Amino acid sequence: MDNGINESKFLEEIRNTRTVNKVNKCDDNILEVLRNLIYLEELDKKGGPDYAYKQYYFEKFSIDSYERKYNKNQKCFSMGKVIKNKVDRKSRYKSDIFGTLTFSDEDIRSNIRYMRKNLIDMIEQKLLRLDTYKTNYSIGKIFGLIVEVEDFCQIYTNDKGEHFSKIVDTKGLKLEKYEIYRDYNLVKKIQKICDKKVDILIFKENISFGNIINCIDLRNNIIKSEMIVYPNKIFQICQGSPIIVSMRQIENTNIQYKSNKNLESKYEKIDIDGIELYKSSEPNVYSDNKKNFFFETTQNMIALNPNITAEEFLMYFSTIIKEELIIKGIDEIVKLKRQTPMQAYIHLSLKNGNGVYRINKNRKLYFKFSEIS
């Protein structure tokens, strides 16, 4: 998506803000400023700032709670977004045959420590370009940063509102949201880093029930009693890497099984009822050499290629009618018990010895018992 479209979409969300929570004293009408911001597309192409209204001008960035690394071009990227971007990619077998897109990766965990670090790093980066912002928007007098908080972090607390710097028994504890904009030690550190170069910090959180906007005026005192003094190391819930299954309605017939164990996609080759299946380029999918028989490990689902011929289909007939299958060629015994009723995909007529395999509502394969090998 074009950067201008992304910025305009984000700005529209900002403009629709109903209320602004002021973390400390702020005499500016922040709600009016946000509702009247315009996107400075031409200036953005020259190095910013992103948004402005009269004497107010803002630069915007996003933070998450994943570690950031540098690529070969020395550009910083989020490890969490690497996974999310992979999830968004289309996979041919998944979409055309199973109607699912599934992805799992090494266990990259979100962490409040990373969120704090990412915030400070991004602020320091923006400060390096402050002279450019001032040059490009010369009428600007009040400079601010708009921070999009992309992750929802939770921490443990007790009835007294105390937090913990080490792992403790969670019995009697509850979870609450980590409010980065009320993190006293962090905000004081940011105030020192900014050194009167940044006037306003706006935090926009993407929460399921709407956008929440919080404002910190760095020109005024940060009152400790109105903030939260979190420990430097917090006992928290850390989310692992995403395992996402996105399903859509498809016409192809798939056969679902229940497994006694979860089969990890770590094997290069498996055997189902004498059919050798090889790990494909699609996440969690195995297929035979002919690309006619597929097995998807996250949902224990078997599918035949929708373009299969009647002759090819008969080669797999004895397998897809079985109620139980065993996966061999691996370190453990994995049993598959069919959950899909056979009449959902195969109709047999004992009277005349004919059979029908339903590929989808528009295509059926007809065969005779005598043709089954």
Side-chain angles (χ1 to χ4, degrees), residues 140-152:
K141 294 181 179 179
I142 301 175
F143 177 62
L145 294 172
I146 298 177
V147 184
E148 183 180 24
V149 183
E150 296 184 326
D151 285 340
F152 178 78

Side-chain angles (χ1 to χ4, degrees), residues 30-286:
I30 300 299
L31 187 58
E32 178 188 352
V33 173
L34 296 182
R35 286 179 175 174
N36 288 281
L37 285 178
I38 58 172
Y39 171 48
L40 307 174
E41 186 169 6
E42 292 305 314
L43 296 186
D44 188 19
K45 293 176 182 178
K46 297 178 182 179
D50 293 319
Y51 310 118
Y53 170 63
K54 294 183 178 178
Q55 62 182 341
Y56 297 87
Y57 61 115
F58 293 87
E59 183 70 4
K60 167 245 179 183
F61 61 85
S62 301
I63 59 168
D64 60 19
S65 53
Y66 291 87
E67 183 181 8
R68 295 194 178 195
K69 294 187 176 181
Y70 287 90
N71 61 18
K72 60 183 180 181
N73 297 321
Q74 292 303 302
K75 288 188 176 181
C76 194
F77 65 93
S78 164
M79 295 297 292
K81 286 185 178 178
V82 169
I83 295 178
K84 292 174 184 177
N85 289 337
K86 287 183 180 179
V87 171
D88 290 337
R89 294 175 187 167
K90 295 291 184 181
S91 57
R92 180 165 61 88
Y93 297 150
K94 285 297 187 68
S95 59
D96 293 347
I97 295 177
F98 294 104
T100 63
L101 180 63
T102 308
F103 182 79
S104 59
D105 205 352
E106 60 187 83
D107 196 13
I108 302 172
R109 289 186 173 268
S110 63
N111 193 296
I112 289 171
R113 172 169 59 93
Y114 290 136
M115 180 177 278
R116 287 167 165 169
K117 184 178 186 303
N118 293 339
L119 177 59
I120 290 174
D121 287 349
M122 289 302 298
I123 288 175
E124 289 177 339
Q125 285 184 38
K126 297 301 179 182
L127 287 176
L128 292 175
R129 307 189 66 167
L130 187 55
D131 289 341
T132 302
Y133 306 148
K134 289 180 178 179
T135 301
N136 287 343
Y137 195 73
S138 57
I139 65 171
K141 294 181 179 179
I142 301 175
F143 177 62
L145 294 172
I146 298 177
V147 184
E148 183 180 24
V149 183
E150 296 184 326
D151 285 340
F152 178 78
C153 297
Q154 290 181 298
I155 54 177
Y156 285 101
T157 182
N158 59 19
D159 291 336
K160 298 178 182 178
E162 296 172 327
H163 305 102
F164 307 92
S165 58
K166 62 181 181 179
I167 297 174
V168 297
D169 186 355
T170 58
K171 185 178 180 180
L173 300 183
K174 58 183 179 179
L175 285 168
E176 66 176 26
K177 184 181 75 172
Y178 168 63
E179 299 176 272
I180 191 168
Y181 41 85
R182 294 185 65 202
D183 189 328
Y184 176 75
N185 293 325
L186 177 65
V187 174
K188 288 293 288 184
K189 185 175 182 179
I190 289 171
Q191 193 176 38
K192 185 176 181 180
I193 291 171
C194 291
D195 191 26
K196 300 180 181 179
K197 296 173 184 176
V198 180
D199 302 299
I200 297 170
L201 278 181
I202 302 291
F203 288 86
K204 176 183 176 291
E205 293 181 288
N206 300 324
I207 308 298
S208 58
F209 49 83
N211 296 316
I212 298 178
I213 305 292
N214 289 278
C215 170
I216 299 175
D217 192 326
L218 295 178
R219 299 164 295 185
N220 292 324
N221 292 331
I222 307 298
I223 301 174
K224 191 173 184 178
S225 61
E226 296 177 357
M227 305 290 283
I228 300 175
V229 182
Y230 293 110
N232 288 328
K233 185 177 180 181
I234 307 177
F235 183 33
Q236 62 185 288
I237 287 285
C238 285
Q239 302 295 336
S241 62
I243 299 177
I244 297 175
V245 179
S246 174
M247 300 192 67
R248 64 179 176 87
Q249 292 296 321
I250 58 169
E251 297 177 350
N252 188 41
T253 298
N254 295 323
I255 308 167
Q256 186 103 36
Y257 287 82
K258 186 176 181 180
S259 174
N260 63 320
K261 292 184 179 180
N262 291 326
L263 178 67
E264 297 180 21
S265 301
K266 63 182 180 180
Y267 305 100
E268 291 302 316
K269 182 175 73 170
I270 63 174
D271 181 297
I272 295 181
D273 199 39
I275 302 172
E276 288 190 340
L277 303 175
Y278 300 88
K279 191 175 182 180
S280 76
S281 59
E282 311 300 333
N284 309 308
V285 173
Y286 288 86

Side-chain angles (χ1 to χ4, degrees), residues 18-30:
R18 294 185 178 180
T19 57
V20 174
N21 300 319
K22 294 183 177 181
V23 177
N24 66 332
K25 184 178 184 297
C26 179
D27 296 325
D28 301 77
N29 190 337
I30 300 299

